[in-house]
Amino acid sequence: MGDTNEAAFVMFSTAHFASIIVLFLSLLLLLIFRKLLQSRKLHWIERIFALTLLLMEILYHLWLIRIGRWSLIDSLPLELCSVSLIMAILLLCTGNKHIYDFVFYAGIGGAIQAIATPDLDLSFPHFRYFHFFYTHIGIVITALYFTWVKGYAPTFKGIIKTLVILNILLPLIFTVNYFFNGNYMFLKEKPVNGSLLDFLGPYPWYILSLEAVALVIFIILWLLFRNNGLGERKRMGRNI
């Protein structure tokens, strides 16, 4: 997996745009072949995909330990996308509708933002580059696979549940940040490399702004995908 003496990641570089193209093509193929996938039993593929996501995350932590970078300050799975990744793995293994709500809203919202403005130090072909984009793209693919193929559809109630869960997590994250001097979920300061948070005001006001932005993003996602994003009849649950 190499060491840290590698090329630094540059936002909007060729390596960055390549990952965005991979995401776009993956979703396009999922959309095109959704009918074919709907006619097949894919439980074993779901489990294998969940296993690859889990394995990639385990390898990431092993790499951090090997190079001496694992720390309570920034290595705990307490970032929004880390939580979403765990939930995506659980969704692939269980198909639980409540987990789907969180992966759809928080997962897509967080992963798309992370892919657009990555908080990443190492670029292609380092392992960290592949870990970052594979897991984030995997979150989005999982959410839309369950939407387009499995027939799940987001609900407005799911928005409320997701916001409640996120706000329940906030005191825990604040506490961890305080005791370990961390910056999980960027609740202490903004990413140094720049992100969408730069448009939401100074600390701590950007945290409040982020709540409003999250609500708007979740509502947009609900409006776009409440009928599976395709105008098709939903096969699971009742949309509200």
Side-chain angles (χ1 to χ4, degrees):
M1 288 182 281
D3 54 33
T4 55
N5 188 24
E6 302 279 349
F9 181 82
V10 178
M11 197 177 301
F12 307 127
S13 61
T14 300
H16 187 191
F17 281 118
S19 67
I20 296 174
I21 292 172
V22 169
L23 171 62
F24 175 78
L25 291 178
S26 299
L27 295 180
L28 181 61
L29 290 174
L30 182 63
L31 181 61
I32 292 174
F33 292 105
R34 69 187 185 278
K35 293 292 188 182
L36 177 62
L37 295 173
Q38 287 170 0
S39 65
R40 298 174 182 272
K41 294 183 178 180
L42 302 173
H43 296 302
W44 63 277
I45 294 180
E46 295 165 13
R47 304 300 190 277
I48 291 175
F49 188 42
L51 182 61
T52 65
L53 292 172
L54 177 61
L55 180 61
M56 187 67 81
E57 187 70 2
I58 291 174
L59 289 174
Y60 169 60
H61 285 274
L62 290 176
W63 170 70
L64 288 177
I65 294 171
R66 185 179 70 83
I67 66 173
R69 282 182 54 182
W70 199 97
S71 170
L72 292 173
I73 295 175
D74 57 10
S75 301
L76 295 174
L78 295 178
E79 302 290 1
L80 177 59
C81 287
S82 298
V83 176
S84 297
L85 177 62
I86 294 171
M87 299 295 274
I89 292 171
L90 291 175
L91 177 59
L92 287 164
C93 292
T94 66
N96 186 282
K97 179 62 172 65
H98 299 293
I99 297 177
Y100 164 80
D101 288 328
F102 186 90
V103 175
F104 181 85
Y105 290 116
I108 291 180
I112 291 296
Q113 189 274 335
I115 292 170
T117 57
D119 183 29
L120 183 63
D121 52 356
L122 298 170
S123 190
F124 179 89
H126 196 274
F127 163 77
R128 172 57 174 149
Y129 170 87
F130 288 102
H131 163 265
F132 183 92
F133 287 110
Y134 184 79
T135 53
H136 284 83
I137 290 173
I139 293 170
V140 180
I141 289 176
T142 298
L144 292 182
Y145 165 78
F146 274 86
T147 304
W148 289 337
V149 177
K150 302 286 284 187
Y152 291 43
T155 65
F156 190 81
K157 185 185 296 184
I159 295 177
I160 305 302
K161 289 190 295 183
T162 302
L163 288 173
V164 168
I165 292 172
L166 290 175
N167 281 278
I168 289 175
L169 286 175
L170 286 184
L172 170 63
I173 305 301
F174 272 117
T175 301
V176 172
N177 284 342
Y178 176 79
F179 282 106
F180 298 128
N181 195 30
N183 189 30
Y184 293 105
M185 290 195 182
F186 304 115
L187 296 181
K188 186 177 181 181
E189 60 183 7
K190 301 176 185 179
V192 295
N193 295 330
S195 74
L196 298 180
L197 297 180
D198 293 334
F199 300 97
L200 301 182
Y203 179 88
W205 305 113
Y206 73 83
I207 299 174
L208 298 177
S209 301
L210 192 58
E211 292 262 7
V213 171
L215 177 60
V216 171
I217 291 175
F218 292 172
I219 290 175
I220 291 174
L221 287 171
W222 171 62
L223 292 173
L224 289 175
F225 292 93
R226 58 181 176 170
N227 294 315
N228 295 331
L230 302 169
E232 297 178 352
R233 185 176 181 272
K234 181 166 61 69
R235 300 196 301 272
M236 183 171 183
R238 182 176 183 273
N239 199 8
I240 62 173

